[in-house]
Amino acid sequence: MSRKRFTIAAFEYVSDVQIIKGKLESEGIPVFLKDENTLNSDPMISHAIGGVKLEVYEEDKEKALAIYNEIRSYALNDDGTPVTCPNCKAQKSERYYDRKGLFYKLFPFFEPRKYKCLNCNMITRP
């Protein structure tokens, strides 16, 4: 019987996930990197397949999320300061992609930059 897995986050490149993977494993949490080998062989298709996914077993989800939220990096403005949510003033935002429409699904790098606040879930543009 296979155990269910939960995706903690997705990263554009395999190298982006290695420190978080190491931290989770040092805490005794088994970690799986979905699409790791695919991106190692061809990193240019990262946007097409949604990047490398960091997965843990469902029973380790809460502990893994707590650790991930402690060490994750948040979005920065062009001047290097954290993006501040206009709604709740939190500085815990990350890049957000709608990928609505075929064009943005095929060419996600053309989509206008947006941020999603991890505190109140508001989506904003810079």
Side-chain angles (χ1 to χ4, degrees):
M1 182 173 122
S2 66
R3 293 159 51 182
K4 285 192 170 192
R5 291 194 249 175
F6 175 79
T7 301
I8 298 288
F11 299 85
E12 188 173 359
Y13 300 109
V14 176
S15 60
D16 295 342
V17 73
Q18 293 302 326
I19 293 175
I20 296 166
K21 177 183 182 245
K23 175 64 175 170
L24 291 173
E25 287 177 337
S26 74
E27 297 287 335
I29 299 172
V31 176
F32 306 92
L33 299 180
K34 187 176 180 183
D35 296 325
E36 175 186 22
N37 292 333
T38 305
L39 291 179
N40 277 335
S41 64
D42 188 0
M44 298 301 289
I45 64 169
S46 181
H47 285 291
I49 65 172
V52 61
K53 290 88 173 167
L54 176 70
E55 295 182 345
V56 297
Y57 287 125
E58 194 73 39
E59 59 265 20
D60 295 324
K61 171 183 166 181
E62 296 303 320
K63 184 178 177 185
L65 280 172
I67 293 168
Y68 175 64
N69 286 330
E70 284 179 24
I71 63 173
R72 74 191 303 175
S73 59
Y74 298 105
L76 300 175
N77 286 327
D78 292 333
D79 60 358
T81 60
V83 173
T84 303
C85 175
N87 185 40
C88 69
K89 307 300 183 219
Q91 293 184 331
K92 293 184 175 184
S93 295
E94 61 185 16
R95 288 289 304 264
Y96 177 78
Y97 300 97
D98 283 332
R99 295 202 174 138
K100 290 184 180 175
L102 181 61
F103 180 77
Y104 290 132
K105 287 180 182 176
L106 292 173
F107 306 104
F109 41 86
F110 285 122
E111 186 173 348
R113 189 179 342 167
K114 294 179 215 147
Y115 298 101
K116 180 178 181 180
C117 177
L118 301 174
N119 192 41
C120 69
N121 292 324
M122 182 176 184
I123 298 168
T124 60
R125 286 189 175 174

